[in-house]
Amino acid sequence: MRNALLLTLSLTLAAPAFAADLTKEEMHKLLVELDDRQRNGGDYKALAYLEQKEKDKADVVRELMIFRRDSDDKLMLLFTKPKSEEGKGYLRLDKNLWSYDPGTGKWERATERERIGGTNSRRSDFDESRLAEEFEPKFEGEEKLGKFETVKLELKVKDGVDVAYPVVKLWIDKVNHNILKRQEFALSGRLMRTAYYPKWQKLFSESKKADVWFPGEMRFFDEVEKSNSTLVLMKTIDLSKLDQNMFTKAWLESKSR
Amino acid sequence: MDRVVLLVRIAIRNLLASPINLLIGGLILLGTMVFVLLGGMLDSLNQSMQKSVVGSLAGHLQIYSAKSKDELALFGQMGNFPELPAINDFPKIQEALSKVENVKVVVPMGISAAIITSGNIVDGTLEKLRNLYKARDGQPGDPKLEGVPREELALRIASEIAHVRQIIKVLRGDVEKAMADMMNAKSVEPRNIEALQRVEQDAFWADFEKDPYTNLEFLENRIAPIVTDTSLVFLRYVGTDLDKFQKSFDRMRIVKGSPVPQGQRGFLIADLMHEDQMKLKTARRLDKIKDARANGRLIATDDELKRFVKENTHQTRELVLQLDGIKTAALVKTLQDALPSKKDSIDALLSELLATTDENFDQRFTQFYELVVPQVQLYRVKVGDMLTIKAFTKSGYIQNVNVRVYGTFAFTGLEKSPLAGATSLMDLMSFRELFGYLTSDKAEELKEIQRNTGARTVSRENAEDELFGDGAEVIAEATPGIIDPDAALAGTGRKLREEDLIRRVYTQQQLDDGVVLHAAVMLEDPTRMDETIERITQVSNEQGLGIQVVSWQKASGLLGQIINVFRALLFVAVGIIFIAAMLIMYLSVLMATLQRTQMFGTMRAIGAQRGLILSMVLVESLVLGLLFGGLGMLAGAGAISLIATQGIAAPNDVMYFFFSGPRLIPQLSTWPLVVALVIILVVTVGSTLLPALMAMRVSPLRAMQADE
């Protein structure tokens, strides 16, 4: 009896996580939590490394800066390396995603399916997480991923929302609530991409007065061209305040002059 | 000789005696005529197609890397384009090939495809306005605006603002229509309606100048998305030494604009593509109606022309969106007077103008080009424009380049051919930039970035074990760092470098010394193609050039095989006719031999040798074959001459390429005559030999017994 009590108590303490079969409300709450952990509330700046490997082709290697202002819902990507890519960038304002090439001096509209820098990463991989806002969840059970116990959710995009992939499956660490694996599907049900998030880092944010979580490493495996894979590494994070007028076309253009 | 004459006379007498011989002769005549006629036409088709392929893109021979897994297919292979490894040492190849006898010139090439994207009409207008403000404020933007006086820039800004305000009026109408339609009401976002209401106010425009860039961004992000008709143009092009190309492909001529100056970067658009895909759709449809009417088609009876008229009357929006308020008012007045009409909306007047019939077409066509076209942009890309071309590089990432459009071009006789008119021309330097070939410097720079990062490689198969297995730690504390974009980007100067590239003149050595994907080889004497292929292969092997060489026919992929397919079909069809003739001939000669057993026996009894009997039967058949075969050849040759007086008109635009122009002029070829003669000999002798041997063996005794 004593052993049974101890077991119950230890399980309760060790797993604040999930009971089997999450309700809709619990799943929604979980998505809100996943989004909130990554949201800063203030400004966010990161230096990232991007690498794409393809069969019989030279590696695509880039360094880029990611600028986010979550309170205003704005995102900018600015490539800094190699020299031939310097000054190229993306700017998201509302639902418009623009790409800029200083070589041509032109802005072009891009879609959610745009391959960032020609790799298999998408705008949403660098942007603020909006799972609760964009998707409806469905419970799919529990699964073991390596040594981690995970809960598996299937998310379907809500009506009228434009995302790169309309169906997403998530494997979420039961204990720490980090997304460890993500699979993305086309509307036809075809698996398009598998992502792994093996490093989650946190940093205290003055503006949020709490920790901000971000995936320090993202690995994307192309499920259509099986030999292609993409790696994203966050090298440095900086939560200091950004220029007020930074998320404008004029600002990005000025960086190439 | 006397014996031969005798045998021929006997043969003619015997042939005329039996009506079945006429049937056999008729078949031989038909088969020979079809063979000579179609063989000649096929030969002419082959020569025409050779002229089209050789003269428009391929040259007589094409060379490409021996390492290529794909076969070169200049016109595509089942919708795909070959992936060709780069040829890195073109100067060495050029030098080696120029010493091969019969090689006239080697033209470097790289075939590829790209996309030209242009936003919708609002995006385009706002981009113009942004560039005008940048030019006014001394910022780099559109090079064409450099040096334009400030006063003129102010006038142009005012004109573009008037245009934007006119577009907003049109958009208001679109939104109201959508709102009225229950099915479309949901597609209009409330925030866009709010934005539209804001920019409709005079107050927005009164303050526009205070912060034009912020206001432009508001229009770009909130108003432009209301229009959804963004367009993409898929562009196939060949990067080449433009000067050498034009000199070597002598059917090429400039239609609009001028050639790219020697050694400079530039782009020439295939004229048919410029007309089909870059011209105002309404104008293009009017052009097509005009062409069709010139060929005898009528709007009243032709479904396609009726559809064109209907589309023109319904799709006036692309015209209206191009007009500002002042132009709209002026055009309303002009059209009211010209039509004449009492309608007062520009939409209604344009619809009335474009409601063409067979009776009013010529007048309306002239009115459209004289009254409407000067107020709008007729081509999306004009001669003199800077074109931004976007392509996937060899490494898979997207690269953009700016190239100036110097003109459009066509190949004489192939102006209407979609196959010849599908490929545009780009200078070699821009092509190399778009191709994204990694120089050793660039490759080293990438390796350096990789080394500094030190990322580990994880295979797909072991990813879950490696990343989440025992010992894996997922959570880590991060240390904040300082990121300074200005420090990372200092001293780029990329924009300036790009502008410099556009103006630079390259030497022939610079043009030759770089990566190419394939090259056209023009020959002095095209009839010696096979021996030249052998010689080039030999030189490549001896000097380690690492190239393979193919004829124009092979280089054109499936297209080049069409002639072989036609030729195979011809042989099958003619084969069937001749096999039928052979069978009938065999049976009839067999029957005739059996019927004449007594005659052969009697002849043998009175001293005829077996050889005479054999010769008699064989000569009968030969005379039959040669007589009717000869008549067939004459009929085939006559038919070719008759057709050649008028030629065969290309039934559609695609056939222009196969006919190498609007008409195919068939010519009599020697080989069908020779082959027909051989076939006739084989058929006649082959089908008669067995009955003739039977006749030869008839004994006089047996013949007499049969009589008793």
Side-chain angles (χ1 to χ4, degrees):
Chain A
M1 185 65 190
R2 189 167 168 258
N3 284 346
L5 271 173
L6 276 174
L7 182 67
T8 311
L9 186 64
S10 60
L11 281 175
T12 312
L13 290 174
F18 319 107
D21 274 35
L22 295 178
T23 63
K24 204 169 177 184
E25 288 70 31
E26 284 170 326
M27 284 187 286
H28 182 73
K29 206 174 150 192
L30 176 60
L31 294 185
V32 170
E33 184 195 337
L34 290 171
D35 291 340
D36 192 51
R37 280 156 61 103
Q38 295 177 64
R39 187 171 294 131
N40 182 26
D43 290 345
Y44 171 97
K45 192 165 22 168
L47 176 66
Y49 169 82
L50 194 52
E51 181 185 277
Q52 164 102 351
K53 287 190 180 293
E54 286 186 36
K55 196 181 172 190
D56 297 332
K57 285 185 178 172
D59 292 351
V60 174
V61 179
R62 304 274 179 274
E63 267 192 17
L64 73 155
M65 289 180 181
I66 303 155
F67 304 97
R68 251 169 50 192
R69 180 166 290 155
D70 295 349
S71 57
D72 262 5
D73 198 12
K74 284 172 176 162
L75 171 80
M76 184 190 287
L77 306 178
L78 170 64
F79 288 87
T80 55
K81 282 181 185 172
K83 283 179 197 143
S84 57
E85 297 299 302
E86 208 177 294
K88 286 185 183 175
Y90 292 90
L91 175 61
R92 186 180 63 74
L93 296 165
D94 300 324
K95 289 184 177 177
N96 304 272
L97 179 63
W98 297 92
S99 76
Y100 177 67
D101 183 345
T104 62
K106 287 211 171 174
W107 288 93
E108 282 183 15
R109 284 186 188 277
T111 67
E112 284 298 312
R113 282 150 287 279
E114 172 89 2
R115 300 164 67 90
I116 300 297
T119 68
N120 200 15
S121 62
R122 304 288 185 278
R123 186 274 308 162
S124 52
D125 298 323
F126 303 97
D127 212 338
E128 186 188 352
S129 175
R130 288 190 196 83
L131 294 171
E133 190 186 313
E134 293 174 342
F135 293 95
E136 285 292 350
K138 191 179 114 192
F139 185 69
E140 284 230 323
E142 293 181 6
E143 258 185 42
K144 194 142 187 177
L145 189 68
K147 68 174 187 180
F148 298 93
E149 297 286 346
T150 67
V151 60
K152 192 174 164 190
L153 299 186
E154 186 188 75
L155 311 183
K156 283 200 172 145
V157 71
K158 291 179 180 171
D159 282 349
V161 177
D162 187 21
V163 290
Y165 302 103
V167 179
V168 170
K169 287 186 181 179
L170 295 180
W171 282 254
I172 304 160
D173 184 348
K174 280 177 78 175
V175 178
N176 292 303
H177 296 194
N178 287 315
I179 298 169
L180 299 182
K181 180 178 173 184
R182 175 179 170 128
Q183 284 195 323
E184 290 150 323
F185 299 81
L187 204 57
S188 62
R190 185 178 184 181
L191 177 60
M192 304 299 288
R193 198 174 75 148
T194 298
Y196 294 106
Y197 302 87
K199 285 277 171 288
W200 281 92
Q201 292 176 283
K202 56 182 177 176
L203 195 64
F204 184 77
S205 162
E206 286 296 337
S207 55
K208 189 181 178 183
K209 302 292 180 206
D211 282 339
V212 176
W213 288 75
F214 60 90
E217 182 176 330
M218 295 185 264
R219 290 184 183 266
F220 303 107
F221 292 96
D222 194 324
E223 298 292 353
V224 180
E225 294 290 335
K226 294 275 187 187
S227 53
N228 299 355
S229 64
T230 305
L231 167 68
V232 181
L233 290 177
M234 296 295 167
K235 295 175 93 172
T236 316
I237 304 290
D238 183 351
L239 299 181
S240 59
K241 210 164 164 48
L242 296 168
D243 285 352
Q244 192 54 39
N245 297 322
M246 163 155 204
F247 295 92
T248 60
K249 288 183 173 181
W251 190 90
L252 192 53
E253 284 177 9
S254 73
K255 295 294 126 186
S256 316
R257 277 184 215 134
Chain B
M1 188 63 194
D2 288 347
R3 187 178 161 172
V4 173
V5 173
L6 178 70
L7 284 171
V8 171
R9 285 177 64 186
I10 293 170
I12 292 171
R13 195 207 65 177
N14 287 342
L15 287 174
L16 293 175
S18 172
I20 194 128
N21 286 327
L22 285 177
L23 174 68
I24 299 165
L27 276 173
I28 292 173
L29 188 147
L30 177 71
T32 316
M33 188 186 82
V34 168
F35 191 76
V36 171
L37 174 65
L38 293 186
M41 283 177 53
L42 211 59
D43 238 23
S44 308
L45 195 65
N46 190 36
Q47 282 166 15
S48 300
M49 210 172 101
Q50 177 174 359
K51 266 165 64 182
S52 295
V53 176
V54 171
S56 66
L57 194 59
H60 297 110
L61 305 175
Q62 280 277 328
I63 55 159
Y64 62 106
S65 170
K67 287 182 197 161
S68 178
K69 288 175 194 160
D70 292 351
E71 287 189 359
L72 179 64
L74 294 174
F75 297 94
Q77 195 90 305
M78 307 294 280
N80 294 321
F81 283 94
E83 200 167 312
L84 303 175
I87 295 174
N88 295 325
D89 199 354
F90 178 68
K92 184 180 170 190
I93 291 167
Q94 183 168 242
E95 197 192 338
L97 296 196
S98 63
K99 288 176 187 159
V100 173
E101 198 203 333
N102 197 30
V103 169
K104 195 166 151 191
V105 65
V106 185
V107 185
M109 290 179 169
I111 194 159
S112 193
I115 297 165
I116 304 175
T117 51
S118 61
N120 55 50
I121 180 81
V122 190
D123 280 326
T125 312
L126 295 174
E127 189 187 354
K128 274 189 209 163
L129 193 52
R130 177 179 280 275
N131 281 333
L132 286 165
Y133 276 113
K134 279 157 79 173
R136 186 197 69 177
D137 299 341
Q139 295 174 20
D142 184 354
K144 274 165 73 180
L145 295 174
E146 285 171 18
V148 176
R150 227 181 134 74
E151 297 73 30
E152 193 185 327
L153 288 172
L155 284 174
R156 288 203 207 174
I157 286 171
S159 167
E160 288 302 336
I161 285 178
H163 186 190
V164 175
R165 296 192 71 171
Q166 173 68 13
I167 289 172
I168 288 164
K169 272 189 197 166
V170 177
L171 290 183
R172 161 58 66 188
D174 290 354
V175 167
E176 276 169 9
K177 264 187 215 163
M179 295 295 285
D181 179 358
M182 290 300 283
M183 295 293 284
N184 288 327
K186 269 189 172 178
S187 67
V188 186
E189 287 192 35
R191 60 203 301 276
N192 287 343
I193 298 174
E194 283 168 31
L196 205 54
Q197 280 165 350
R198 186 181 157 202
V199 299
E200 279 172 326
Q201 306 298 317
D202 289 338
F204 177 82
W205 297 99
D207 290 341
F208 196 85
E209 281 292 323
K210 286 181 187 164
D211 189 357
Y213 300 105
T214 303
N215 288 324
L216 276 167
E217 289 206 6
F218 182 80
L219 292 166
E220 285 160 351
N221 293 306
R222 300 290 292 276
I223 302 299
I226 298 174
V227 183
T228 50
D229 55 347
T230 306
S231 55
L232 281 180
V233 176
F234 183 75
L235 193 70
R236 203 156 76 95
Y237 64 88
V238 166
T240 185
D241 180 336
L242 291 170
D243 200 46
K244 206 183 245 187
F245 186 95
Q246 194 162 358
K247 282 178 186 153
S248 308
F249 292 83
D250 52 10
R251 289 178 81 174
M252 178 191 162
R253 64 182 178 86
I254 298 292
V255 180
K256 303 176 196 122
S258 63
V260 178
Q262 194 170 354
Q264 284 196 27
R265 288 177 176 237
F267 200 81
L268 295 172
I269 303 173
D271 194 64
L272 188 69
M273 201 206 171
H274 193 237
E275 291 291 316
D276 269 349
Q277 297 198 36
M278 296 178 179
K279 194 171 190 175
L280 208 62
K281 288 190 181 75
T282 308
R284 187 62 183 147
R285 283 192 286 260
L286 284 174
D287 296 347
K288 284 185 174 173
I289 296 173
K290 191 175 183 228
D291 277 358
R293 278 171 43 80
N295 287 326
R297 290 162 67 188
L298 292 172
I299 297 171
T301 53
D302 191 303
D303 285 343
E304 189 185 30
L305 301 189
K306 278 184 200 168
R307 179 169 58 82
F308 286 160
V309 174
K310 195 176 170 191
E311 284 170 356
N312 275 354
T313 53
H314 284 75
Q315 296 174 15
T316 53
R317 197 167 167 277
E318 69 165 355
L319 296 167
V320 175
L321 279 174
Q322 287 206 37
L323 302 167
D324 63 25
I326 299 163
K327 282 180 181 170
T328 304
L331 194 57
V332 164
K333 177 82 179 64
T334 311
L335 290 178
Q336 280 172 339
D337 293 344
L339 285 170
S341 172
K342 288 182 177 170
K343 289 174 182 159
D344 56 3
S345 100
I346 186 70
D347 274 316
L349 285 163
L350 284 169
S351 286
E352 192 175 332
L353 173 75
L354 295 166
T356 46
T357 61
D358 291 307
E359 288 70 40
N360 68 14
F361 181 82
D362 292 334
Q363 186 194 15
R364 296 286 169 87
F365 181 88
T366 311
Q367 285 173 330
F368 178 80
Y369 272 93
E370 286 182 357
L371 307 177
V372 181
V373 166
Q375 310 299 328
V376 294
Q377 190 175 320
L378 189 57
Y379 292 96
R380 190 197 308 182
V381 178
K382 303 185 297 297
V383 170
D385 279 359
M386 195 65 82
L387 191 63
T388 300
I389 295 175
K390 179 188 259 194
F392 280 95
T393 63
K394 172 82 178 142
S395 308
Y397 63 91
I398 293 170
Q399 179 77 300
N400 297 305
V401 295
N402 274 356
V403 276
R404 187 178 300 284
V405 177
Y406 278 87
T408 68
F409 73 97
F411 296 101
T412 306
L414 298 175
E415 291 84 353
K416 287 191 176 177
S417 162
L419 275 166
T423 311
S424 297
L425 295 173
M426 181 193 278
D427 72 276
L428 212 45
M429 304 310 276
S430 301
F431 163 75
R432 285 174 186 150
E433 204 167 310
L434 271 182
F435 181 67
Y437 179 70
L438 273 183
T439 60
S440 56
D441 287 355
K442 282 184 183 172
E444 184 48 43
E445 189 191 0
L446 297 186
K447 276 186 189 157
E448 178 72 17
I449 301 169
Q450 281 179 311
R451 272 197 297 271
N452 289 342
T453 305
R456 64 174 169 150
T457 304
V458 174
S459 69
R460 168 194 289 273
E461 294 72 29
N462 302 326
E464 293 190 4
D465 284 345
E466 277 194 54
L467 301 172
F468 304 116
D470 291 337
E473 288 300 330
V474 168
I475 297 172
E477 290 284 338
T479 317
I482 292 173
I483 297 170
D484 180 3
D486 290 325
L489 291 167
T492 315
R494 173 144 179 96
K495 185 94 172 76
L496 287 171
R497 193 172 70 80
E498 291 291 340
E499 283 174 11
D500 179 41
L501 286 178
I502 289 163
R503 295 188 179 96
R504 193 184 292 175
V505 178
Y506 296 91
T507 63
Q508 192 59 48
Q509 193 186 344
Q510 284 172 314
L511 291 177
D512 289 343
D513 195 9
V515 64
V516 303
L517 296 186
H518 53 108
V521 181
M522 308 301 276
L523 303 181
E524 300 279 1
D525 178 4
T527 59
R528 291 167 56 206
M529 197 183 296
D530 290 341
E531 76 180 76
T532 315
I533 289 177
E534 272 179 35
R535 183 68 193 126
I536 291 175
T537 308
Q538 194 186 347
V539 169
S540 173
N541 293 338
E542 283 167 8
Q543 300 186 24
L545 301 179
I547 54 167
Q548 51 186 311
V549 56
V550 289
S551 68
W552 64 270
Q553 202 163 23
K554 207 159 176 214
S556 48
L558 282 178
L559 198 70
Q561 305 311 314
I562 284 177
I563 286 291
N564 290 340
V565 173
F566 286 163
R567 192 168 281 143
L569 286 175
L570 172 68
F571 274 99
V572 169
V574 172
I576 290 169
I577 293 174
F578 277 111
I579 286 170
M582 205 166 165
L583 275 173
I584 295 171
M585 202 166 183
Y586 170 73
L587 290 171
S588 59
V589 176
L590 188 66
M591 277 171 63
T593 307
L594 291 174
Q595 280 169 1
R596 291 186 286 173
T597 307
Q598 191 191 359
M599 187 187 85
F600 293 134
T602 309
M603 285 176 72
R604 290 289 314 281
I606 59 174
Q609 296 296 310
R610 285 182 168 182
L612 178 74
I613 306 288
L614 180 72
S615 306
M616 210 177 89
V617 178
L618 281 176
V619 168
E620 264 182 48
S621 298
L622 272 176
V623 167
L624 178 74
L626 290 175
L627 182 70
F628 285 94
L631 287 173
M633 285 183 197
L634 280 175
I640 285 182
S641 306
L642 193 70
I643 295 169
T645 55
Q646 292 292 314
I648 303 166
N652 53 47
D653 290 350
V654 174
M655 291 307 287
Y656 266 65
F657 192 79
F658 296 99
F659 287 9
S660 197
R663 286 180 177 277
L664 178 73
I665 311 292
Q667 287 173 337
L668 185 62
S669 305
T670 322
W671 74 263
L673 297 173
V674 175
V675 174
L677 189 67
V678 172
I679 293 174
I680 289 163
L681 290 175
V682 170
V683 167
T684 50
V685 174
S687 57
T688 319
L689 202 58
L690 197 62
L693 287 172
M694 281 174 63
M696 184 183 82
R697 286 185 186 138
V698 173
S699 69
L701 183 65
R702 203 176 133 208
M704 286 170 189
Q705 281 171 347
D707 193 40
E708 282 167 8

